[in-house]
């Protein structure tokens, strides 16, 4: 079987690859920091093709989106090699390589002098994350959405997510459903949350835009010295979606001062100061283009996206951990618990969130 170095040799690198080390913290793909003989560094990734069934469509999306962004970044005098992902093609000019064992690989330019955070360390980091994702949305406002493949159909369709959740609980492939009866009961008590955003698209109340759809704090690279945003990464789920998905998912991950998989739930809550930091940054960048209805729903989107992630983690736990990477048997359950703790906490803070949003529109 080909190892990471053999695979790297298929790509048009500046010199021979010599070292590949595990890197990053994504729950889906596997990432390596790749070093070459001449000292140049790249990012090598194995794409999870169980999650992304159409790798060709996925990589074509990333090629289209990054090419589009590069032009905009150049036009405003930015650095297109740092401020967006850049695909390194294979020696035969393809966006990815399929190895002999059927796995899929890609290489990106490595962006140095940046940090990626798992929790907010200084409030300004989250303000900058808000600016990064708000700006990302602004830059893609005139991207021709019809050119994009839907890499994961119904990705944020919370109505079908809830149906899948009930089906996986009923199937109980892991036999662990009883172990999490309390969490299942919570998910059912809050099932109304699944109907707060998605159905409004069909009713014409919310516009589809080109959105990132996976806006966790660790999907933005910040300058190691200043903390200012450098580059939005993890473009696998850039698809038509709601601005509210991007806003809410950032709040889900970033307003919690503890880790997504923290076992001590006393440490898990929604920090409203952090909520304010992100809201300010996001709205400064793209607030002008949001509709009244979108703005009204910004606070609620934090709950909806956190709930969605919670039922996905819980369903995967009961299903036997086939989707998200896990490091311990209870990992997905621990993650579901933090999400549900946040949902309940955010619910008590909705009024405050509305007051904060009102300050920046
Ligand atoms: C996954 O790949 P990563 O770790 O950035 C997941 C997101 C979840 C997130 C939860 C394609 O994101 O939807 O919100 O984990 N990505 C996919 O941390 O399912
Ligand atoms: Mg990621």
């Amino acid at each position: 079987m080909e190892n990471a170095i053999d695979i790297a040799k298929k790509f048009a690198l500046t010199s021979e690859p010599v070292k590949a080390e595990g890197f990053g913290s994504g729950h889906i793909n596997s990432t390596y920091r790749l070093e070459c003989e001449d000292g140049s560094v790249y990012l090598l990734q194995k794409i999870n093709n169980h999650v992304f069934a159409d790798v060709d469509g996925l990589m074509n999306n990333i090629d289209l989106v990054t090419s589009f962004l590069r032009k905009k970044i150049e036009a405003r005098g930015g650095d297109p090699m740092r401020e967006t992902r850049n695909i390194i093609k294979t020696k035969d000019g393809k966006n990815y390589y399929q190895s002999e064992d059927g796995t899929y690989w890609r290489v990106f330019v490595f962006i140095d002098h940046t940090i990626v955070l798992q929790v907010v360390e200084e409030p300004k980091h989250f303000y900058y994350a808000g600016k990064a994702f708000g700006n990302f949305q602004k830059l893609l406002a005139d991207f021709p959405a019809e050119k994009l493949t839907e890499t994961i159909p119904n990705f944020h369709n919370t109505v079908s997510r809830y149906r899948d959740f009930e089906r996986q609980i009923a199937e109980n492939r892991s036999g662990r459903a009883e172990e999490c009866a309390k969490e299942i009961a919570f998910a059912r008590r809050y099932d109304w949350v699944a109907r707060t955003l998605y159905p409004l698209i069909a009713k014409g109340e919310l516009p589809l835009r080109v959105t990132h759809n996976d806006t966790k704090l660790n999907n933005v690279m910040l300058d190691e010295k200043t903390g200012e945003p450098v580059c939005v990464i993890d473009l696998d789920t850039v698809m038509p979606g709601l601005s509210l998905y991007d806003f809410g998912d950032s709040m889900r991950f970033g307003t919690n001062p503890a880790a997504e998989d923290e076992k001590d739930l006393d440490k898990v809550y929604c920090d409203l100061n952090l909520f304010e930091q992100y809201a300010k940054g996001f709205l400064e960048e793209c607030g002008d283009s949001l509709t009244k209805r979108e703005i009204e729903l910004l606070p609620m989107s934090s709950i909806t996206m956190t709930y969605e992630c919670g039922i996905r983690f819980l369903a995967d736990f009961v299903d036997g951990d086939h989707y998200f990477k896990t490091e311990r048997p209870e990992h997905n359950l621990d993650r579901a618990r933090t999400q549900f703790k946040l949902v309940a906490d955010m619910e008590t803070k909705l009024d405050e969130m509305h007051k904060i949003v009102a300050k920046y529109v």
Side-chain angles (χ1 to χ4, degrees), residues 254-265:
T255 61
N256 170 18
E260 190 186 54
D261 57 0
E262 174 61 56
K263 282 171 166 293
D264 179 357
L265 292 183

Side-chain angles (χ1 to χ4, degrees), residues 25-27 214 216 218-219 233-234:
S25 59
H27 295 342
D214 185 9
K216 1 191 229 197
N218 61 18
N219 281 335
I233 58 173
D234 198 347

Side-chain angles (χ1 to χ4, degrees), residues 98-114:
Q98 186 178 11
S99 77
E100 290 152 12
D101 62 0
T103 55
Y104 292 85
W105 298 78
R106 65 186 171 198
V107 173
F108 290 121
V109 169
F110 192 88
I111 306 171
D112 54 10
H113 304 296
T114 55

Side-chain angles (χ1 to χ4, degrees), residues 234-354:
D234 198 347
L235 307 177
D236 296 334
T237 52
V238 174
M239 296 181 274
L242 299 179
S243 60
L244 295 160
Y245 298 156
D246 284 2
F247 185 86
D249 195 55
S250 283
M251 294 306 192
R252 167 189 85 73
F253 192 88
T255 61
N256 170 18
E260 190 186 54
D261 57 0
E262 174 61 56
K263 282 171 166 293
D264 179 357
L265 292 183
D266 289 339
K267 294 185 182 152
V268 175
Y269 63 95
C270 168
D271 181 333
L272 284 175
N273 174 41
L274 294 181
F275 181 93
E276 176 154 4
Q277 294 291 326
Y278 187 94
K280 180 171 187 280
F282 188 83
L283 292 169
E284 276 175 8
E285 292 295 325
C286 70
D288 285 351
S289 62
L290 299 182
T291 65
K292 197 169 148 261
R293 194 78 177 106
E294 285 177 297
I295 288 167
E296 269 167 24
L297 285 163
L298 287 171
M300 187 62 215
S301 73
S302 314
I303 298 183
T304 312
M305 299 310 287
T306 309
Y307 175 80
E308 180 198 279
C309 208
I311 61 171
R312 289 177 65 198
F313 287 143
L314 187 57
D316 198 34
F317 175 75
V318 175
D319 195 50
D321 304 324
H322 295 296
Y323 188 92
F324 296 104
K325 282 190 201 165
T326 51
E327 280 152 21
R328 49 179 192 265
E330 309 257 288
H331 210 161
N332 271 319
L333 180 56
D334 291 339
R335 290 171 177 150
R337 285 180 172 145
T338 62
Q339 302 307 291
F340 291 160
K341 170 82 195 281
L342 283 168
V343 165
D345 187 49
M346 286 170 169
E347 194 186 17
T348 68
K349 293 175 174 164
L350 264 179
D351 285 348
E352 292 299 318
M353 292 182 189
H354 278 286

Side-chain angles (χ1 to χ4, degrees), residues 23-34:
F23 190 81
S25 59
H27 295 342
I28 309 292
N29 298 318
S30 304
T31 308
Y32 304 84
R33 183 183 182 278
L34 186 72

